[in-house]
Amino acid sequence: MLRAMTLIEMLVSIAIMALVFTATVSSVLSLYRVNSNGLNVTAQISSARRGLDSVLQDLRQMAYGSNGAYPISSMATSSIVFFSNIPNGVGSYLITYQLSGKTLTRSFVKPGTPATYTATPVTSSVATSLYNAAFTIPIFQYFDANGSEITDMTRTADVRSMSVVLQVFVPGTSAPFTLAASTTLRNLKN
């Protein structure tokens, strides 16, 4: 014989189903949040990695300016201005990398005729979500022929190698993710 559910049994069943449904929805939403954060972190680290690659490629092509100027025009811990032979470019371009807030920007000026660098710079963002300034970590460090760090930023002629460090903040952690690389500046005379 089939028996009908009482009102109390029906309410208990609905309450249990509501709890199961709420737990399921909560789990799915939590999974989406974790996945979204993971994608955001991956995008930030990817952006910094591309920026680091861009900086290193330009530094490795460092050369004397088309006007005969020394390869490094100016240097600081959060910026550098130098001449570089861009692949498929004509002459040495004047390139500036600079930390602006949490963004590393790259500007370049093509040499004019005669070889001057007076055109309007073309600027682009190469890395975002950088926390070098917040953690007081220099992006650029300069070293002489003996491997000693150069802290006097007027000694541009003594630079023989550089290191580049990008700090990316990863949400949910107390320490940033660090990307670092070094390069020897091949085209500088000893």
Side-chain angles (χ1 to χ4, degrees):
M1 172 166 142
L2 223 46
R3 134 178 142 74
M5 291 177 71
T6 66
L7 180 61
I8 293 178
E9 290 172 331
M10 176 89 68
L11 291 175
V12 169
S13 296
I14 290 173
I16 291 172
M17 286 176 41
L19 287 173
V20 169
F21 180 75
T22 302
T24 303
V25 168
S26 177
S27 295
V28 169
L29 290 176
S30 177
L31 178 66
Y32 279 119
R33 273 192 297 277
V34 167
N35 189 33
S36 176
N37 286 344
L39 290 174
N40 188 26
V41 167
T42 301
Q44 290 173 347
I45 292 171
S46 247
S47 168
R49 185 167 283 128
R50 282 189 307 275
L52 184 62
D53 289 344
S54 174
V55 172
L56 292 174
Q57 180 180 355
D58 286 341
L59 288 173
R60 289 182 181 132
Q61 298 298 321
M62 188 180 289
Y64 284 82
S66 295
N67 60 0
Y70 189 74
I72 300 175
S73 179
S74 69
M75 60 188 202
T77 58
S78 62
S79 66
I80 184 169
V81 181
F82 61 98
F83 296 95
S84 184
N85 291 327
I86 294 177
N88 302 321
V90 177
S92 294
Y93 287 47
L94 180 63
I95 298 178
T96 303
Y97 280 96
Q98 180 173 351
L99 182 64
S100 298
K102 296 177 185 175
T103 303
L104 182 63
T105 61
R106 176 186 186 265
S107 301
F108 72 88
V109 177
K110 296 179 185 179
T113 306
T116 60
Y117 295 91
T118 56
T120 303
V122 176
T123 303
S124 61
S125 167
V126 294
T128 58
S129 300
L130 300 181
Y131 281 75
N132 289 65
F135 292 101
T136 61
I137 296 180
I139 290 180
F140 302 107
Q141 288 181 288
Y142 309 91
F143 302 92
D144 63 19
N146 297 322
S148 300
E149 184 176 359
I150 297 172
T151 55
D152 178 356
M153 297 303 159
T154 62
R155 293 179 47 206
T156 57
D158 295 334
V159 177
R160 293 297 174 266
S161 64
M162 290 179 58
S163 71
V164 182
V165 177
L166 300 180
Q167 298 281 317
V168 181
F169 179 72
V170 179
T173 64
S174 59
F177 184 84
T178 303
L179 293 166
S182 298
T183 187
T184 300
L185 309 175
R186 311 182 276 230
N187 297 329
L188 299 181
K189 294 180 181 175
N190 288 328

